[in-house]
Amino acid sequence: MKPAAFDYVRCETLDEACEVIAQTGDDARILAGGQSLVAMMNMRLATPAVLVDVMPAPDARKVAAENGTLKIFAAVRQASLLDDPDLTWRNPLLARMLPWVGHPQTRARGTICGSVAHADPSAEIPLALAALDGKVILRRGRKRRSVKATDFFLGMMLTDKADDEMIEAVTFADVQQGTGTGFAEFGRRKGDFAIVACAALVSPMRVRFAVGGVNDTPFVRDWDNLSPQDDAEALNALAWSLDARGDLHATARYRRDLVRHLGAQALKEARSCAV
Amino acid sequence: MRRLTATERHPVRFTLNGKPAEGTAHPRMLLSDFLRGVQGATGTHVGCEHGVCGACTVRIDGAMARSCLTFAVQIEGAEIDTVEALAPAPARLSVLQDAFRKHHALQCGFCTPGILMSLDTLLATESQADAERIRDVLSGHLCRCTGYQPIVAAALDAAQTLREETDNA
């Protein structure tokens, strides 16, 4: 359980990190909080030749509220976003979901962008990004491109990021006033990855529903004018439309059942705080 | 930008339990191994080495963290606290440690250093922590002996003692 050898590069700016990643390509990995990557390295599931540490870069620690979004740069830790007193009113769904990410001990180190880069299908942050019209800002050298979250996640731990690109930041759309939000999750132990997690946003014209832990990527569905008495039928149809599979943790049928039950909880919570 | 090569040992300067410390480490050396093997601070225990069990939890710049998921070279300039820092003097226990003894909150003691570091950090920052909050923090640790109840009892007891000490100060 010791990682393979690697060169360690300590970066003072995001520009430096981009430069090393662009030059080294798939032999290099960004080191941020390390809460997923270092575990994978200890198990030798990842053996990068170069680790590029972005945490010492002050410009990677920014959180910016701009154009109706919250823009979170590469070195922002989960705990520091959770401690932001503005988060509860700006983005109540994100504030509701972050305490479900790992444990206090891992949130103190783990980053928002790192969880997005890791792209675990059961993780809460990728689910929140998909539910909240999130975008991933990728950088190759000085060139940037912005990818919608739903296009960024391609499969289990597989993303649209090229080997010579890095995630500079991610953006979450602010939750509009009057929109109700809800979240429900089930896992075997507190802090474990979810078996199924459901997030809901209810506005007067639209119900948005997002599911993690079933498909290989976060799944998002919008319904126009869904009335509460139709929730159960809509959730049942949605549960069957997903690609639920059985594994060591749960059967496909159990996962569909969790979508129905947790989905109903998340919708109920979102409706109760919608205006 | 500084590049530390894989094949060499590099100096790491940091603060360990309030005192300046330094040592050398290859980039791949985990903080847990650096503390135990290079610094000789063997109070920190190493369990699963992939961030699940919590035995290796230390404080990095005031926040509880897994030392097995951090590299020694990352802590350049940081303040590290380990379980060795808790006792106020030789042969004396901290309030939290004393509560652990009183409530039998440990048996084999393997997970204890990590749990003490998490709970000590919690009680230092949230003196009003209740059982639910203590369980939330404890969820990041595995203990196979106690069933956790005595640990929660010890933490609640310590929290009350610390509050009384503050009130009477």
Side-chain angles (χ1 to χ4, degrees):
Chain A
M1 301 297 277
K2 309 290 178 195
F6 57 85
D7 279 6
Y8 169 86
V9 182
R10 187 179 289 139
C11 295
E12 307 295 331
T13 63
L14 274 169
D15 284 354
E16 288 179 357
C18 284
E19 194 185 312
V20 181
I21 289 287
Q23 283 166 4
T24 323
D26 77 340
D27 282 340
R29 295 286 291 271
I30 293 285
L31 174 64
Q35 301 302 290
S36 305
L37 179 61
V38 180
M40 294 202 18
M41 289 175 65
N42 286 356
M43 292 189 274
R44 304 275 173 124
L45 294 170
T47 53
V50 182
L51 273 194
V52 185
D53 189 356
V54 287
M55 300 313 279
D59 60 349
R61 278 181 233 138
K62 280 184 299 187
V63 176
E66 56 181 47
N67 308 324
T69 69
L70 199 59
K71 186 175 186 181
I72 295 156
F73 282 78
V76 176
R77 299 195 197 274
Q78 293 151 10
S80 67
L81 188 64
L82 195 53
D83 288 344
D84 182 346
D86 289 341
L87 187 68
T88 319
W89 62 264
R90 182 177 291 283
N91 202 320
L93 184 60
L94 197 52
R96 176 86 168 80
M97 291 172 74
L98 280 178
W100 289 81
V101 179
H103 306 283
Q105 295 85 354
T106 59
R107 290 196 296 271
R109 303 284 295 169
T111 63
I112 302 289
C113 289
S115 176
V116 172
H118 187 57
D120 189 294
S122 298
E124 292 84 3
I125 292 170
L127 180 65
L129 196 70
L132 290 163
D133 293 316
K135 292 197 175 88
V136 182
I137 295 147
L138 294 162
R139 250 185 94 171
R140 175 190 285 118
R142 302 214 165 266
K143 284 198 181 129
R144 287 183 179 84
R145 68 185 177 110
S146 170
V147 184
K148 283 195 331 200
T150 41
D151 296 329
F152 179 76
F153 299 111
L154 300 179
M156 191 178 286
M157 297 180 179
L158 191 69
T159 70
D160 189 45
K161 186 184 80 62
D163 291 336
D164 58 356
E165 288 180 313
M166 70 169 280
I167 297 179
E168 181 178 58
V170 294
T171 65
F172 295 86
D174 294 345
V175 174
Q176 298 302 312
Q177 265 204 326
T179 297
T181 58
F183 179 70
E185 167 175 327
F186 181 74
R188 289 281 179 210
R189 285 171 298 270
K190 190 165 187 320
D192 264 13
F193 281 111
I195 291 177
V196 171
C198 297
L201 291 129
V202 175
S203 58
M205 298 304 290
R206 188 189 76 178
V207 171
R208 165 161 291 187
F209 187 75
V211 188
V214 183
N215 287 11
D216 283 348
T217 59
F219 179 90
V220 180
R221 168 71 58 86
D222 287 333
W223 289 297
D224 296 327
N225 301 314
L226 180 72
S227 58
Q229 62 266 30
D230 298 330
D231 280 0
E233 202 179 320
L235 285 169
N236 184 44
L238 183 127
W240 281 108
S241 75
L242 295 171
D243 185 23
R245 279 161 290 174
D247 62 17
L248 194 66
H249 307 289
T251 61
R253 182 179 171 183
Y254 184 60
R255 282 204 162 82
R256 280 192 293 274
D257 222 37
L258 283 177
V259 172
R260 294 182 196 105
H261 283 88
L262 298 174
Q265 281 177 30
L267 283 172
K268 190 178 170 196
E269 183 187 329
R271 287 188 192 284
S272 73
C273 53
V275 176
Chain B
M1 182 176 5
R2 275 201 66 203
R3 192 180 187 111
L4 310 184
T5 52
T7 49
E8 283 166 285
R9 286 202 174 89
H10 304 273
V12 181
R13 285 161 299 258
F14 65 110
T15 306
L16 179 59
N17 298 328
K19 295 189 189 94
E22 62 176 288
T24 59
H26 286 111
R28 78 183 192 113
M29 180 172 265
L30 299 170
L31 175 59
S32 44
D33 291 331
F34 182 69
L35 289 171
R36 290 176 58 85
V38 179
Q39 300 296 320
T42 52
T44 301
H45 287 177
V46 173
C48 73
E49 294 198 307
H50 62 287
V52 174
C53 77
C56 70
T57 302
V58 299
R59 207 156 33 219
I60 305 178
D61 289 330
M64 45 187 115
R66 311 279 202 232
S67 61
C68 76
L69 295 185
T70 301
F71 295 110
V73 290
Q74 284 179 280
I75 59 137
E76 173 78 30
E79 286 183 21
I80 309 294
D81 295 308
T82 65
V83 72
E84 283 94 341
L86 296 187
R92 278 189 61 200
L93 296 177
S94 73
V95 169
L96 181 64
Q97 286 171 316
D98 202 41
F100 263 58
R101 183 168 69 175
K102 183 173 147 197
H103 290 270
H104 303 286
L106 65 148
Q107 285 180 38
C108 84
F110 197 89
C111 66
T112 311
I115 293 179
L116 285 171
M117 289 316 291
S118 281
L119 292 177
D120 185 77
T121 310
L122 174 71
L123 297 184
T125 48
E126 297 175 36
S127 60
Q128 301 296 323
D130 59 6
E132 191 188 355
R133 181 73 180 116
I134 288 164
R135 283 178 195 280
D136 182 41
V137 169
L138 207 47
S139 78
H141 294 272
L142 293 178
C143 171
R144 301 285 80 149
C145 297
T146 61
Y148 304 101
Q149 296 292 355
I151 303 177
V152 176
L156 284 168
D157 193 355
Q160 194 182 344
T161 308
L162 289 167
R163 282 196 299 270
E164 283 166 5
E165 276 183 8
T166 317
D167 291 347
N168 300 334

